[in-house]
Amino acid sequence: MAKQFHVVVADFIRDDLEPERRILGDIAEITAFGARVEDELTGRIEDVDAIILFHELLLTRRTLERLRRCKLIVRGGVGFDNVDHAFARSVGIPVGNVPDYGSEEVADTAVAMALSLARGVHYMNSRLKVNQGPWAYLQVVPLARLRGSVFGVIGLGRIGTAAALRAKALGMDVIFYDPYKPDGYDKALGIRRVETLEELLARSLVVSVHCPLSDETRHMIDAKAIAQMPRGSYLVNTARGAVLDTKAVPEAIASGQLAGAGIDVYESEPPTEDKDPLLAAWRNPEHPAHHRLILTPHAAFYSEAGLMDMRLKAAEACRRAVLGLPLRNIVN
């Protein structure tokens, strides 16, 4: 019997659609396009009823204005900067996200990066592996004690809150900057609010970025911002790539302003090898930043359980949309 609806997974998932069929299989045909650029959608997506979009391509007005019956675009993830959600709203297409699929995993990764950097674990491992420096703690002198040191969170959403609680459990003094967070969360969580980004940067041994990407936050952490951090501090970004101007990071490490950085997300993914000074420093054993950088490939979200949550919740959102049920987590 012909299925009533057609739901597509635009990118990222290219083969096994069992999780999506588990939720939608009784009412919808499900197709994985596996697209890597928007042009690959032309002629294939115009009549679909719902779209699941991950992070490998952009959906712009060029595609959105051709959709004839789409009832929902759902981002399989938290960030939604890779879909023109304002234009989608203007043509009556709701855009949703999955805000709760991997909060634990991303927070775990952010704190793991911070610990590995601030305790010298990564630096010592990286240097000793290539027979550099003494087989002794002298490699990382001086290190600050983490208990009582300041862990600064930019953006106290779900993931930022989870990271704050993990850092607090380590005995760190947790502060946060989030001008859109209502009052009282500092009291409820037992952490401290600061009123300006400048204050957070100036006080933090570790700055962990957890805000969405917007016009307001694009390149919010740049060379000027990094210069406001204490000398020898650490920077972690597991949020969105363009919040951080990564070109500023190698020089900040080379100068000693930063003692290390952990980065999981990039303005262009994968980064353009021949144009990215961050990758050049990370790959070059002679660069002062080489042993002080931890780079991962937009993988902080991942665990088997987290990936399954993301896929099932995105499919559930599509089911609600095509059946005309009330929608959740609409961002536009």
Side-chain angles (χ1 to χ4, degrees), residues 1-2 14-15 22 38 42 46 49 51 69 92 132 140 152 164 198 238 250 255 262 272 285 308-309 315:
M1 186 174 71
R14 293 179 169 83
D15 40 39
R22 198 187 314 171
E38 189 177 20
T42 302
E46 287 76 5
D49 295 285
I51 300 168
R69 51 190 285 181
Q132 290 186 13
V140 291
E198 291 74 17
T238 56
S255 71
T272 306
M308 186 58 66
D309 279 351

Side-chain angles (χ1 to χ4, degrees), residues 70-71 87-94:
C70 184
K71 300 174 180 66
F87 181 77
R89 180 181 66 235
S90 74
V91 293
I93 302 173

Side-chain angles (χ1 to χ4, degrees), residues 9 77 84 109 115 300 314:
V9 182
D84 188 342
T109 300
L115 280 174

Side-chain angles (χ1 to χ4, degrees), residues 106 109-110 112-113 122 236-238 261-266 268-271 278-279 282 293-301:
V106 179
T109 300
M113 284 180 164
H122 172 71
V236 173
N237 185 19
T238 56
I263 299 170
D264 181 61
V265 287
Y266 310 88
S268 173
E269 294 184 350
L278 181 73
L279 261 67
W282 178 61
L293 284 168
I294 301 174
L295 305 189
T296 52
H298 200 148
F301 73 91

